[in-house]
Amino acid sequence: MSAPPSPEEKRYLLAEGDRDEDELVKEPESPGIELEEITLAEPGLDLDGMSRSELVADAVAFCERAGLMEHVKDFRHGALLAYGDTTNLTMAERRALQREKTHKWDQPFMVYYIAICAAMAAVVQGMDEAVVNGAQIFYYDYFGISNPNNDQTIAMIQGLINSAPYLCCFLLSCWLTEPLNHRLGRRGTIFFACVVTGLFSLLEASTQTWQQLFVVRLILGIGIGPKSATAPVFAAECAPSRIRGALVMQWQMWTAFGIALGDLVSYLFVNSNPATAWRYILGSTCIAPAIVCCMIFLAPESPRWCMLHNRPRDAYKAMLRLRRVPLQAARDIYIMERQLAAEREMQRGGWKRMVRDLFMVGRVRRAAIPSGILMFLQQFCGVNVIAYYSSQIFVEGGFSRQAAMLTTLGTGVVNWLFAIPAIYTIDTFGRRSLLLFTFPFMSVCLLITGFGFTLPEGTGRLGVVASGLYLFMVFYSPGEGPVPFTYSAEAFPLYIRDFGMSYATAVCWAFNFVLAITFPPMLASFKPLGAFSWYAGWCLAGWVLVFLFVPETKARSLEELDVVFSVPTGQHASWQVRNAMQKLGLRQSQRPLKPLYDLDDGA
């Protein structure tokens, strides 16, 4: 704990309009609360040796610049709190800070409301991805592009239609994220994206040729890209660091729910008129975007976005709705101001500067590398083969349409249910540990699925295939499902976060497009066993890539992440190899390795 303030320093705290000295110094302690036990949600800042008096003067100067002088007393004490000084707190503030440590889920309703908004945007995403799985069984026949003879040209047309939104995402719409966020904010960008997806979902259902469907689905991607990049960032910027992972991963969990919901809609229409069933399936995705549009403007704008755009009064007003007491809000706003002060010079230069920094600035590059790896692996682990094509695979494998739809629905439900444990595990076991544990099992499950297709009909083929897919989802859902978007949303510095998330989601959708357009020809050439074995191999490769190149980020504040990503990539990989060899007894020297990061926990 910091030393008590000197009489001279105390005069800064007890200036005109501040708290009464008796309240600050002589207030009795609350039973069961020891001030020394308080651990702040954000660690003390590195303030270049500033004294308490200089720190308070800096907080006052910030209030003057920001037009927040009526809240100056909270910012004085918030600045000291950011520094690590926990003296001179009221009883309500002490209780709030203690509960910040001991009851991490005790947060204002608005924190969870923003997570719900992001979750509903994810439902939109999941349905947009999943409904094509069931609809294609009908519209291939309607448009005359079914492929009983495994014609490669027809297979490419099928893949092009299904992959059209993701082509738009990585070529255009993901890169619209930064300018849209700059002009519209987080809330406005999500609103815009949901309007686009809702409108073009209806247009999908009214197309008359496969060319029209391709064009409409291509434009649908304008709504998918910015939404997928913005909603996780919105949740990450509003969540306290101790539960940030759990709230941000709601994106993937509720994307899984949206996929299951899309599969359910497909199953409900499986016995309908084939000429119209696919229209109802595709058109059903207009409902969820309308709900998000109604919800989003009841939430405050991201305080970090407001601070980035020189709107500190709006940032503080929003933060008051996201923290229990004004002192916590003032502390977090002051921390943002200090971080931005170091980054503002980097904000100049526009797109050229950001593109250069993404690859040339070590701190940013080391966030971009693991973010790109995880987004790539989310596609090439094979999950969207199941999400986009499982119904068609099952039908071509001899299953009835109803059995194919029911099995596909089961994968969606399992995907969602087993994402629920990740709410707790992602901030306890950590991002990296979950991935290292689940990737080998995912590989085995895909091999089981592929070999299941080689069994003759009537020998349990459906059971083996379904079991392989369901077990794959059991391991995918708490690992490679939620981690990539959570990781990318928190890894980049604030000044380049929008552009960094644009890059990460562009990588995701680029390989999503590659997967979607290549799988029909791959299936025609290599059959299910070869296709699923290909992605099983990538799951094993993914384990190696995560082990070497993906640092852990769980429960780290934004400032601690600067330390984590300051370690060169080669040094991180080398340390992980040597540490593993030591644990396995393969190194001659058994002296403990020097910690990889210079942090209090010795990580």
Side-chain angles (χ1 to χ4, degrees), residues 481-502:
V483 169
F485 278 90
T486 301
Y487 197 98
S488 301
E490 65 191 2
F492 293 96
L494 180 57
Y495 85 96
I496 201 172
R497 183 169 297 151
D498 290 341
F499 187 79
M501 197 62 180
S502 296

Side-chain angles (χ1 to χ4, degrees), residues 510-534:
F511 287 104
N512 190 307
F513 168 74
V514 171
L515 179 146
I517 197 171
T518 59
F519 189 74
M522 182 185 294
L523 185 64
S525 299
F526 301 120
K527 308 304 178 188
L529 176 58
F532 281 104
S533 297
W534 166 256

Side-chain angles (χ1 to χ4, degrees), residues 87-105:
T87 57
N88 302 317
L89 305 178
T90 67
M91 294 304 293
E93 292 165 348
R94 294 182 185 188
R95 292 190 186 98
L97 290 173
Q98 185 70 9
R99 289 186 70 82
E100 192 173 55
K101 170 189 174 184
T102 60
H103 297 74
K104 65 180 183 179
W105 295 102

Side-chain angles (χ1 to χ4, degrees), residues 303-344:
R304 294 183 188 275
W305 182 89
C306 293
M307 290 295 294
L308 187 63
H309 291 79
N310 297 313
R311 292 166 51 182
R313 286 188 65 87
D314 292 335
Y316 183 61
K317 182 179 178 181
M319 190 63 81
L320 287 173
R321 302 175 68 186
L322 299 169
R323 299 296 184 263
R324 284 294 184 195
V325 295
L327 178 68
Q328 291 172 309
R331 174 202 61 191
D332 291 349
I333 293 298
Y334 183 74
I335 288 173
M336 292 178 200
E337 169 63 18
R338 294 294 307 186
Q339 290 169 337
L340 280 171
E343 295 178 0
R344 283 195 172 100

Side-chain angles (χ1 to χ4, degrees), residues 107 129 274 277 287 405 417 438 441-442 461 520 567:
Q107 303 293 338
E129 292 184 39
I287 299 173
M405 292 286 199
L417 289 177
T438 55
F441 291 101
M442 290 163 59
R461 178 170 62 177
V567 176

